Amino acid sequence: MGRPSKALLTRERIARAALQVVDEEGSGGLTMRALAERLGVRAASLYNHIESKDALVDTVSELVNGEIDHTPLGDADWRSGLAAYARGYRAVFLRHPNAVSLLARRRVEADNALRGYDALLALLGRAGLGPADAAEVAAALDFLVLGSALETFTAGFTREPAAYRPRYPALADALDDSFARGGGETGLDDRGFELGLRLLVDGVELRTR
């Protein structure tokens, strides 16, 4: 028998193509028809592997969550482990910012995501937090990471700092001084995230005293 002219469909291949659609076109562009066109098949063929659009989003969630490195959560130093995990978590969603709106409000069902939260809560427990406090810190970390991936503070200000000065002098001064610190287009956003992360880690330490 000759080889098939097209690569066979698999659940993983479909999920990866779906993530590409989301990355390139946003969550609104993810339809079974658009996905089928990308894969060069008929939409009906997808249902042999993915039973519904909802199930498709679940496979995308599994794929994205699979990119998050949970290894730092086993670090003996909870402070460095928590910080490294948060940076890696953010890096994944900076690669896939359109996935934030697609996944953020969904139920957490993927095993790799559940294992990640379990490891995070265990680390916070080792830091000395009780279960309820640990849950609040985990929620705060999600807000910080996903919010920073979804929104860019810097891109909201499209004028040169001097153009804001006549009516908004404090804003102009802040932008001027921040841009002088360097880091290019993402410098202010990255420093804002690092500040939030530092305050979060310090806050955990204060709660454990």
Side-chain angles (χ1 to χ4, degrees):
M1 293 179 63
R3 293 183 179 181
S5 58
K6 295 179 182 177
L8 296 175
L9 286 180
T10 64
R11 193 176 181 89
E12 182 178 356
R13 183 174 174 235
I14 292 170
R16 291 194 179 281
L19 181 55
Q20 289 176 350
V21 172
V22 173
D23 286 343
E24 295 171 15
E25 303 178 26
S27 58
L30 183 58
T31 65
M32 294 302 244
R33 175 175 292 184
L35 182 56
E37 288 178 358
R38 181 172 290 261
L39 290 165
V41 300
R42 297 184 179 218
S45 301
L46 299 177
Y47 289 101
N48 294 323
H49 305 273
I50 304 289
E51 54 272 25
S52 65
K53 171 72 178 292
D54 199 52
L56 176 63
V57 176
D58 283 343
T59 65
V60 173
S61 176
E62 291 169 7
L63 202 58
V64 174
N65 278 294
E67 293 185 24
I68 300 172
D69 182 12
H70 299 132
T71 306
L73 295 174
D75 198 320
D77 178 356
W78 70 264
R79 289 182 63 101
S80 61
L82 182 60
Y85 166 73
R87 293 183 186 114
Y89 182 4
R90 178 177 181 246
V92 169
F93 280 96
L94 286 177
R95 290 196 296 272
H96 307 294
N98 292 333
V100 176
S101 61
L102 184 69
L103 306 180
R105 292 183 178 273
R106 289 185 68 78
R107 64 194 183 281
V108 181
E109 293 288 353
D111 182 62
N112 49 18
L114 290 169
R115 282 188 285 106
Y117 280 113
D118 191 65
L120 171 60
L121 293 165
L123 175 143
L124 294 170
R126 294 196 305 275
L129 292 181
D133 283 343
E136 290 173 8
V137 171
L141 185 65
D142 261 11
F143 300 149
L144 175 64
V145 169
L146 297 178
S148 70
L150 180 64
E151 180 184 9
T152 165
F153 182 84
T154 309
F157 303 100
T158 56
R159 310 177 210 168
E160 290 297 318
Y164 293 103
R165 193 168 304 286
R167 297 185 63 185
Y168 316 106
L171 173 61
D173 287 346
L175 293 175
D176 251 339
D177 284 5
S178 182
F179 293 156
R181 291 185 176 180
E185 292 183 359
T186 66
L188 175 53
D189 293 330
D190 293 340
R191 288 191 296 274
F193 170 76
E194 287 295 329
L195 173 60
L197 178 58
R198 188 161 62 250
L199 292 172
L200 180 66
V201 173
D202 288 346
V204 171
E205 189 164 303
L206 285 173
R207 282 198 174 195
T208 61
R209 289 178 180 172

